[in-house]
Amino acid sequence: MTDGRTQTDLPEPNEALAEDLRALLADRPFVPEEVDRAIIAAAEPHLTCGRRRGWRVAGVWGGVAAAAAVAAVVLPTLWVGPGQSEPAVALGDYAPGEPVDVVDALRLARALERGGESVSITWDLSGDGVVDRADVDAVAMRAVVLNDEPEERHG
Amino acid sequence: MSGGHEHERRSDAELVRAINAGDRRAFEALYHRHRDWVASLAMRFTGDREAALDVLQETFLYLVRKSPGLELEGRLTSLLWPVVKHLSIAHNRKRRREPAVDPMAMPVRGVDDPPPGLDDPREALAGLVGGLPEAQREVLLMRYVDGMALDEIAAALGRPLGTVKSRLHHALARLRGDPRTKKYFER
């Protein structure tokens, strides 16, 4: 821990401090390989955007396909079965015009997979009166279109 | 799932430049290089496995959304650290729980627990670090758990380097001044 930029006027602690602090904070979640694939798949449309201009039409459908792929690989791993705790993040309501992203599509897909009881009808983006997989695709498509223009949701 | 040996040898900044050019392999390499650290940090902030995985996803999607145009001078950790923190706090709020009053909180002893003994410095360390002011504890953990250099911490927190040094100074002084944890300063 002595890299020349880290000196204070106190003596540097020995390595045991870092080792013990890391041991105390060692609770790291296991990341399933499916989640790795899902994140990389969700990133793909944005990377395509950087690689190729004029991608918008193909990119939209590519994004939907990526979102579908994401949902397909993530759903089995994030399935909440009997006796397990509910997901940490509730889907909430969708407000028209509110920015959405692929994670919202994933979250909606996961909520539907659990039975959909907690899903607000506000997520009926397809307007057919029910919230179903078509709405997952609609959210994914909207996310890709919105993401074509820079946005700062988490900045 | 490897980004390839060529990418694994490249610096974070080189990978970011490749990501800006739409290089999927570069993104994979950067993701695998920092995934465990991001998941661990998110777990520290949220205290919840599923929320940590959500934050992991959103952190890397945030990153890739910034490309092209993403600029990185040093290590990615100073860029990702505040992203993970803010996304985690947002998750805690969405869960309709009280936002973690202190997202860096260490395990806290119960009032009926026996006091940490001299023979268990790790227990004492947890108690002492848990009792530090949040700003000091944050810097201490960034330095010794996340392995960040002081200038990286300053960049991540958006604070002057002197402020970071001062906070770390006070945190270390507290640990060194306690007989239960002074062994961490012995050579």
Side-chain angles (χ1 to χ4, degrees):
Chain A
M1 291 286 174
T2 52
D3 54 13
R5 292 178 297 172
T6 61
Q7 299 300 313
T8 67
D9 52 355
L10 277 177
E12 278 279 305
N14 56 46
E15 285 298 319
L17 177 65
E19 288 169 9
D20 283 0
L21 283 173
R22 287 180 183 139
L24 288 167
L25 293 165
D27 192 8
R28 179 171 64 80
F30 170 71
V31 183
E33 194 175 316
E34 290 82 357
V35 171
D36 292 339
R37 285 201 296 270
I39 292 172
I40 290 165
E44 179 75 30
H46 304 281
L47 293 168
T48 303
C49 178
R51 188 165 55 231
R52 186 158 44 87
R53 301 294 179 193
W55 63 283
R56 187 182 181 98
V57 174
V60 167
W61 293 106
V64 172
V70 167
V73 295
V74 168
L75 283 176
T77 62
L78 298 183
W79 166 258
V80 178
Q84 292 181 268
S85 60
E86 281 296 300
V89 181
L91 185 62
D93 290 341
Y94 171 72
E98 179 182 329
V100 290
D101 58 26
V102 173
V103 175
D104 292 317
L106 282 171
R107 218 168 263 148
L108 178 59
R110 286 159 57 181
L112 292 174
E113 192 73 15
R114 290 195 306 273
E117 289 88 356
S118 62
V119 177
S120 164
I121 193 66
T122 56
W123 287 98
D124 177 25
L125 272 64
S126 63
D128 60 2
V130 293
V131 182
D132 56 17
R133 295 301 301 227
D135 298 302
V136 176
D137 290 343
V139 172
M141 182 185 293
R142 191 162 298 193
V144 175
V145 172
L146 285 172
N147 289 335
D148 189 25
E149 297 172 5
E151 60 166 320
E152 295 286 343
R153 290 194 69 194
H154 304 298
Chain B
M1 198 55 67
S2 166
H5 293 302
E6 181 197 340
H7 284 109
E8 286 165 11
R9 286 194 297 268
R10 298 167 78 177
S11 69
D12 286 353
E14 288 171 328
L15 290 174
V16 163
R17 281 195 290 275
I19 289 169
N20 281 334
D23 186 337
R24 182 181 193 272
R25 288 284 190 184
F27 176 78
E28 284 187 44
L30 202 66
Y31 169 76
H32 284 289
R33 183 177 295 174
H34 294 284
R35 177 197 65 184
D36 289 348
W37 174 75
V38 170
S40 178
L41 186 59
M43 184 74 187
R44 201 191 309 166
F45 282 127
T46 63
D48 181 280
R49 176 187 175 276
E50 178 131 8
L53 291 183
D54 278 341
V55 170
L56 174 69
Q57 291 179 3
E58 292 178 20
T59 298
F60 280 96
L61 288 180
Y62 169 88
L63 181 72
V64 78
R65 276 196 205 107
K66 289 285 187 186
S67 71
L70 188 60
E71 292 182 11
L72 183 69
E73 296 291 332
R75 289 169 62 199
L76 192 65
T77 43
S78 27
L79 175 71
L80 290 187
W81 197 94
V83 175
V84 175
K85 178 177 181 178
H86 293 144
L87 288 173
S88 298
I89 290 172
H91 263 260
N92 290 343
R93 287 185 180 139
K94 279 188 206 170
R95 279 187 283 170
R96 298 179 194 282
R97 285 175 20 178
E98 283 296 313
V101 174
D102 184 351
M104 308 296 280
M106 299 285 288
V108 177
R109 305 187 65 79
V111 291
D112 296 329
D113 293 341
L118 281 169
D119 56 341
D120 192 351
R122 191 180 286 180
E123 282 274 311
L125 178 65
L128 283 174
V129 174
L132 289 173
E134 181 187 349
Q136 293 178 22
R137 181 167 58 249
E138 186 172 62
V139 169
L140 183 78
L141 298 185
M142 291 171 84
R143 177 75 189 100
Y144 295 107
V145 175
D146 302 321
M148 297 169 73
L150 291 182
D151 53 356
E152 292 173 336
I153 297 171
L157 295 176
R159 300 284 181 191
L161 183 59
T163 302
V164 170
K165 284 181 177 176
S166 171
R167 289 176 181 176
L168 186 61
H169 173 103
H170 287 296
L172 291 174
R174 179 77 181 88
L175 297 182
R176 193 179 62 160
D178 192 295
R180 296 167 298 174
T181 49
K182 68 178 181 183
K183 75 146 194 155
Y184 293 114
F185 297 87
E186 294 168 354
R187 296 288 168 184

